[in-house]
Amino acid sequence: MNNIIEVKNISYQYPSSETKALDNLSLSIAKGEWVAIIGHNGSGKSTLAKLLNYLLVADEGEIIVDGQVVNEANMWQVRNKIGMVFQNPENQFVGATVADDVAFGLENRGIDRAEMLKLVPAALKEVQMDAFADREPTHLSGGQKQRVALAGIIAVAPKIIILDEATAMLDPKGRQEVIAAIRKLKHQLGAELTVLSITHDIDEAADADRIIVINDGQMVDEGTPAEIFSVGPRLLELGLDVPFAEQLKAALRQLNVPVPTEYLDEERLVTWLWQLNSKM
Amino acid sequence: MAIEFKNVNYTYQVGTPFANNALTDLNFTIKPQSYTALIGHTGSGKSTILQLLDGLIKPTTGQIIFDEHVIDNKTSQKVLAKVRQHVGIVFQFPESQLFEQTVLKDVMFGPQNFGKTAQEAQALAEKALRLVNLPEEHWQKSPFDLSGGQMRRVAIAGVLAIEPSILILDEPTAGLDPVGRKEMMQMFAQLQQQQNLTIILVTHQMEDVAEYADDVLVMVGGKLVKHATPSAIFADIAWLQAQQLDVPHAVLFKNKLQAQGLELPTSIINVEQLAQSLQQYLQKGDQG
Amino acid sequence: MSNMIIGRYVPGNSIIHRLDPRAKLILSVSFIILIFLANSWLGYLILGLFTLLAVASTKISLAIYLKGLKPVLWLIVFTIILQLFFSPAGHVYLAFGPFMITNTGIINAVYVFLRFLFIILMSTVLTLTTQPLALADALEYLMKPLLKVKFPVYELSLMLAIALRFVPTLMDETVKVMNAQRARGVDFASGSIVKRSKAIVPILIPLFVGAIQRAIDLGDAMEARGYQGGENRTKYRVLAWHRRDSLAVLIFIGVLVVLIATRFLI
């Protein structure tokens, strides 16, 4: 299997902290895969994101991104391969206007202006922000700013996109818009794009091919969304909302209604309840 | 404490070319010890209402009545300060208001501003820190050394320490993880019961509205377009969608079941109610 | 805040708005130097006409310009008084003790007043018609020769641009923190000066903490997006010099020539 990210026995401890944020963590992500990393606040998942593009330097272990060891010598090449959307929409908006911000990554890579004049509007169109090209960030909502951040990444066409709780500070509408934009992008690029989304959002996690659960700096579980969701209310401890069908099952179980133990999505739970009803 | 809005208008930058009508002719009453959800999109006037409720701004015209205090455009700062003592407001990301050297001192800040002695303030602060379940081992630490969730609890304690009878919450769970969100919302529900608080919750989370609120105000473009119970609000799905407001999961799920021929009451809006109705329904089916 | 006119951009589409910021910056600075060349009524008349022409071409109401004068009014009055009473040369009209009003004194006072007026009006023309960011761009361009002496021109101008970009963010943040502390009983409006200055602490500390966090986040985001310093970067935003900019420079040179001529004529 062709792994685009390999994390081998990584440990990291913040200078001001007494415990390790990541403790001997190993995982790998295949090229073209969409992986959600979940875990409660402080579980170490955002630390992992920063280690991947050398914003933090691991105390121990090795990370390989697209065949390159992540170290000081390779860091700019590695950063070229990874686009990252951070949590706070305001604090990652560098440009004075939307178009300027999208161009920032291109400017850093020394792309010709003529080329930028094509790439910037195209990237903005991709996230449906083309009408806002000359707007200043003050006049944008959080969801719009995150879409601009995504456009800035689309413009430089990286192989990997990391969403570091990119929807955590948005209202439901903004969240849906950002998730829809990512879904569309992944759909277009297919195996050419690997998505790593660090999230608490059940809708965002449900889109993934695989979910990795991190707790206390270690990987504690992994599986398909259906497998992970089947733990029901315990998902809350893992740092994820509980899908509604699982919430209802748990509530029914408390009222001594016998419910199936395997994971059911909403449609199947409706069917199950309907059959139960017609049997009676 | 009851709150009544009477023909309240609010205009930003009155008398300038930039004048901007933020609230138009608001009339409503919030009952004492109720749990009211204030919903609407960004720019609908919610944050202006919050500032009016805390006497941070005065209505351009109209009156806001807090029991014996009446606030209008002419009200003095002195009277506003009195009202402010009864109203606690937890702003969005309230941890950004922390500044003292220790957690305890920060929580004492409010009571001391309102004229309490250091001793009284400390007693109030300790009580408030217990209410938000912040372990005593953290009280002498710098608030900036705590985790995000703990910092938020300190900030909330700082508001509770002034012993408000009205507690306003502006997106209090924003940025927390799911466990943190759930614990926070349960804490407020508990506080309301124990402290006889009137709670006003500003939120985008319709699940929370369905779970905790008993009254809902819906704002659109500076106007109050609906004031009703959560079940009445969530019964009209077409209307909610037209307003681009989320429909609680339980309502959607109930509708799917109804489409399959299960007869369930329309008042169901949250998962507990749905489970109970289903249990009764299935039992009835059993007997019949 | 409302009477801080200097530094407040008023959107518009006048000829002055459309001038290249480099042209505007060079001309404003040169004009200020030029003012000190004038030494006669005629000279001041010419400068005055040029200033009025510039002000009128912005199509921004005169009231906004006059507001801009307010904050520096006391400085002007003080300097005029100084000139008026302490010019010992010339014909004495009035004298009491060390103070005397002379004809040179009166003339100097009028000249000083006019200089102030012209300088303030011209710099207001610049700031009212030019977006701060465009000014930063112009500054970067004009500082480029300093690159030869290893002066970090690009870094400085990016710093300036980012600072400008975050002004509204920090203003919002200030209002938010102030509201939060007022809700906790802080009274910014009354009390002694000591009490009021103490009330600043609960505002400043959260603002600093917030700004530092923003700076850290921004640094991460910039690095993640490949920012490695000023060299080898291309620019998306470019300045374009048009014919109208050359024309503006020509008009200015015309004024300069006439002004120098007046020195010889009178």
Side-chain angles (χ1 to χ4, degrees):
Chain A
M1 192 165 206
N2 187 4
N3 286 334
I4 196 160
I5 296 175
E6 284 194 48
V7 174
K8 297 175 190 167
N9 308 103
I10 281 286
S11 293
Y12 182 81
Q13 185 163 357
Y14 286 94
S16 58
S17 167
E18 284 152 21
T19 52
K20 287 184 177 173
L22 291 179
D23 190 2
N24 200 22
L25 175 76
S26 298
L27 54 88
S28 51
I29 288 161
K31 183 167 184 280
E33 204 181 2
W34 182 337
V35 175
I37 296 186
I38 66 170
H40 58 77
N41 280 354
S43 61
K45 53 196 192 327
S46 286
T47 309
L48 174 64
K50 286 184 177 157
L51 287 166
L52 288 177
N53 66 355
Y54 210 69
L55 289 173
L56 291 175
V57 183
D59 299 332
E60 284 165 62
E62 189 181 52
I63 299 174
I64 297 169
V65 172
D66 195 28
Q68 276 187 309
V69 179
V70 179
N71 58 23
E72 188 151 3
N74 291 337
M75 68 175 180
W76 294 111
Q77 279 142 297
V78 169
R79 285 176 188 170
N80 241 329
K81 292 173 184 171
I82 301 178
M84 217 164 153
V85 183
F86 296 87
Q87 182 179 14
N88 191 321
E90 188 70 23
N91 296 359
Q92 59 187 309
F93 204 110
V94 188
T97 67
V98 166
D100 280 299
D101 191 65
V102 175
F104 183 73
L106 296 167
E107 292 177 322
N108 293 335
R109 286 162 178 76
I111 308 291
D112 275 342
R113 181 161 186 272
E115 191 68 15
M116 286 200 261
L117 289 176
K118 280 183 258 166
L119 289 172
V120 171
L124 280 173
K125 197 154 188 192
E126 202 61 48
V127 297
Q128 289 166 9
M129 286 295 291
D130 38 337
F132 297 81
D134 295 322
R135 292 281 185 95
E136 289 169 15
T138 346
H139 305 296
L140 301 180
S141 71
Q144 289 172 329
K145 280 180 206 154
Q146 291 302 66
R147 273 148 66 204
V148 172
L150 198 58
I153 287 167
I154 292 170
V156 297
K159 293 184 175 175
I160 303 163
I161 289 185
I162 300 178
L163 307 158
D164 186 3
E165 296 194 45
T167 60
M169 285 173 76
L170 308 180
D171 61 24
K173 191 165 158 258
R175 188 169 302 171
Q176 275 151 22
E177 285 167 356
V178 171
I179 295 175
I182 296 161
R183 212 177 274 151
K184 186 177 134 202
L185 189 68
K186 176 68 180 128
H187 184 73
Q188 280 171 0
L189 296 173
E192 295 310 304
L193 181 69
T194 306
V195 176
L196 197 59
S197 83
I198 293 167
T199 188
H200 297 304
D201 189 78
I202 187 87
D203 297 327
E204 208 181 314
D207 278 324
D209 303 318
R210 180 161 62 113
I211 295 178
I212 292 175
V213 184
I214 290 189
N215 197 9
D216 291 333
Q218 288 174 323
M219 184 163 96
V220 292
D221 206 353
E222 66 173 322
T224 61
E227 282 164 4
I228 299 292
F229 294 169
S230 70
V231 305
R234 218 165 57 76
L235 270 176
L236 218 52
E237 293 156 41
L238 303 181
L240 207 59
D241 279 320
V242 182
F244 183 76
E246 289 295 325
Q247 287 181 36
L248 183 59
K249 265 168 62 183
L252 285 169
R253 203 177 288 130
Q254 276 210 319
L255 297 170
N256 296 318
V257 178
V259 285
T261 46
E262 82 267 19
Y263 172 71
L264 297 178
D265 62 18
E266 287 191 22
E267 305 312 317
R268 283 165 63 204
L269 186 58
V270 170
T271 315
W272 182 81
L273 282 165
W274 177 76
Q275 282 168 347
L276 191 65
N277 173 49
S278 52
K279 257 186 261 165
M280 284 171 179
Chain B
M1 192 181 250
I3 308 163
E4 193 185 351
F5 272 53
K6 262 190 178 171
N7 309 316
V8 170
N9 283 279
Y10 189 81
T11 309
Y12 281 101
Q13 300 186 287
V14 183
T16 72
F18 308 106
N20 171 9
N21 216 19
L23 295 177
T24 312
D25 206 24
L26 284 193
N27 285 290
F28 61 83
T29 305
I30 292 174
K31 290 191 204 82
Q33 279 133 58
S34 64
Y35 196 132
T36 304
L38 177 56
I39 60 182
H41 290 290
T42 313
S44 61
K46 287 177 302 178
S47 49
T48 310
I49 294 180
L50 290 195
Q51 294 184 53
L52 284 169
L53 281 170
D54 203 13
L56 295 171
I57 52 176
K58 294 185 278 190
T60 309
T61 60
Q63 293 179 324
I64 303 170
I65 303 160
F66 294 86
D67 287 354
E68 75 274 16
H69 301 292
V70 179
I71 293 181
D72 60 22
N73 196 249
K74 302 274 185 306
T75 306
S76 71
Q77 285 297 326
K78 235 175 156 181
V79 176
L80 290 178
K82 248 183 221 155
V83 169
R84 234 172 265 156
Q85 267 191 64
H86 298 291
V87 183
I89 178 160
V90 176
F91 284 99
Q92 238 184 84
F93 298 102
E95 52 277 20
S96 68
Q97 73 194 34
L98 302 176
F99 73 99
E100 271 287 7
Q101 285 146 336
T102 68
V103 165
L104 192 66
K105 275 191 189 169
D106 206 290
V107 179
M108 286 165 64
F109 181 66
Q112 282 183 302
N113 284 327
F114 285 117
K116 296 279 191 285
T117 66
Q119 251 179 342
E120 291 165 334
Q122 186 168 345
L124 287 168
E126 286 173 358
K127 188 180 160 205
L129 284 165
R130 284 199 185 95
L131 285 176
V132 299
N133 300 319
L134 190 83
E136 209 167 329
E137 63 193 84
H138 297 310
W139 293 3
Q140 293 302 330
K141 285 188 190 162
S142 159
F144 301 108
D145 287 339
L146 302 179
S147 74
Q150 289 168 332
M151 281 170 81
R152 184 158 307 179
R153 282 169 192 270
V154 174
I156 292 166
V159 174
L160 291 174
I162 61 176
E163 298 201 294
S165 50
I166 299 163
L167 185 64
I168 303 171
L169 307 168
D170 186 3
E171 297 281 357
T173 61
L176 297 179
D177 62 12
V179 183
R181 286 206 296 266
K182 188 157 189 185
E183 286 173 357
M184 192 67 72
M185 290 312 293
Q186 283 172 346
M187 180 184 91
F188 289 127
Q190 215 179 359
L191 279 173
Q192 190 212 9
Q193 296 300 316
Q194 290 170 355
Q195 314 288 314
N196 294 323
L197 290 172
T198 306
I199 288 188
I200 300 167
L201 170 72
V202 176
T203 188
H204 291 294
Q205 310 295 332
M206 296 305 137
E207 304 293 337
D208 286 343
V209 176
E211 183 74 39
Y212 300 104
D214 50 38
D215 197 15
V216 184
L217 299 168
V218 186
M219 295 293 298
V220 175
K223 289 184 184 140
L224 179 65
V225 293
K226 220 167 202 180
H227 182 185
T229 62
S231 353
I233 297 272
F234 293 130
D236 193 349
I237 292 183
W239 182 82
L240 284 167
Q241 281 167 345
Q243 307 298 330
Q244 292 196 315
L245 294 169
D246 282 352
V247 182
H249 249 116
V251 176
L252 294 173
F253 197 87
K254 174 197 70 187
N255 286 4
K256 282 184 195 166
L257 291 172
Q258 283 174 330
Q260 294 288 333
L262 274 74
E263 287 160 32
L264 296 165
T266 46
S267 63
I268 292 172
I269 52 171
N270 61 38
V271 67
E272 287 85 10
Q273 294 170 354
L274 182 59
Q276 262 164 19
S277 296
L278 278 171
Q279 186 216 22
Q280 286 163 9
Y281 189 80
L282 295 171
Q283 272 175 352
K284 236 190 291 168
D286 231 0
Q287 288 152 6
Chain C
M1 288 296 163
S2 57
N3 51 6
M4 264 182 58
I5 288 301
I6 295 176
R8 189 188 250 207
Y9 173 70
V10 177
N13 197 28
S14 74
I15 176 87
I16 307 278
H17 279 90
R18 280 178 291 148
L19 282 182
D20 188 296
R22 287 169 297 183
K24 282 190 268 190
L25 191 61
I26 298 170
L27 293 182
S28 321
V29 174
S30 315
F31 181 81
I32 289 167
I33 298 167
L34 190 63
I35 287 171
F36 293 93
L37 274 179
N39 65 345
S40 65
W41 289 107
L42 191 56
Y44 280 98
L45 186 66
I46 293 164
L47 288 176
L49 286 173
F50 184 68
T51 309
L52 280 181
L53 179 73
V55 169
S57 317
T58 62
K59 294 188 178 153
I60 294 170
S61 108
L62 202 62
I64 292 181
Y65 284 95
L66 293 180
K67 259 196 202 163
L69 283 174
K70 249 195 217 160
V72 279
L73 199 62
W74 285 112
L75 186 68
I76 300 176
V77 170
F78 179 71
T79 323
I80 289 174
I81 289 172
L82 225 57
Q83 289 291 336
L84 198 58
F85 291 110
F86 297 97
S87 297
H91 179 77
V92 179
Y93 293 118
L94 253 171
F96 35 96
F99 308 106
M100 54 182 92
I101 295 181
T102 66
N103 64 342
T104 350
I106 292 174
I107 291 169
N108 282 344
V110 172
Y111 282 179
V112 162
F113 169 71
L114 289 175
R115 274 182 200 164
F116 260 117
L117 189 69
F118 296 163
I119 291 173
I120 290 164
L121 284 178
M122 263 315 194
S123 37
T124 314
V125 166
L126 177 70
T127 53
L128 288 182
T129 64
T130 321
Q131 277 178 317
L133 188 74
L135 272 180
D137 285 340
L139 213 58
E140 176 188 283
Y141 184 87
L142 297 173
M143 286 194 309
K144 265 186 187 168
L146 292 175
L147 281 171
K148 289 208 178 81
V149 292
K150 300 253 187 273
F151 188 79
V153 173
Y154 295 118
E155 284 76 4
L156 204 71
S157 80
L158 185 69
M159 243 167 73
L160 192 59
I162 288 174
L164 290 169
R165 134 88 185 89
F166 275 95
V167 167
T169 309
L170 293 178
M171 296 274 249
D172 284 355
E173 187 89 1
T174 311
V175 172
K176 251 191 68 185
V177 174
M178 278 182 77
N179 273 341
Q181 307 302 29
R182 281 171 70 200
R184 289 209 279 169
V186 176
D187 184 1
F188 294 109
S190 64
S192 66
I193 290 179
V194 181
K195 199 180 147 210
R196 268 197 247 184
S197 45
K198 262 192 183 164
I200 300 289
V201 178
I203 306 291
L204 281 187
I205 292 179
L207 281 180
F208 273 123
V209 172
I212 290 168
Q213 187 54 50
R214 280 187 204 287
I216 294 171
D217 284 0
L218 190 71
D220 276 349
M222 286 170 66
E223 276 199 44
R225 293 170 73 180
Y227 180 73
Q228 315 177 43
E231 275 113 76
N232 307 321
R233 287 188 87 227
T234 43
K235 291 219 79 180
Y236 177 73
R237 172 189 295 275
V238 291
L239 299 170
W241 189 273
H242 291 103
R243 200 148 21 134
R244 56 173 175 266
D245 300 303
S246 308
L247 190 69
V249 172
L250 278 178
I251 292 174
F252 180 79
I253 292 172
V255 174
L256 177 70
V257 169
V258 175
L259 199 71
I260 291 172
T262 63
R263 285 178 79 97
F264 293 108
L265 286 175
I266 300 171

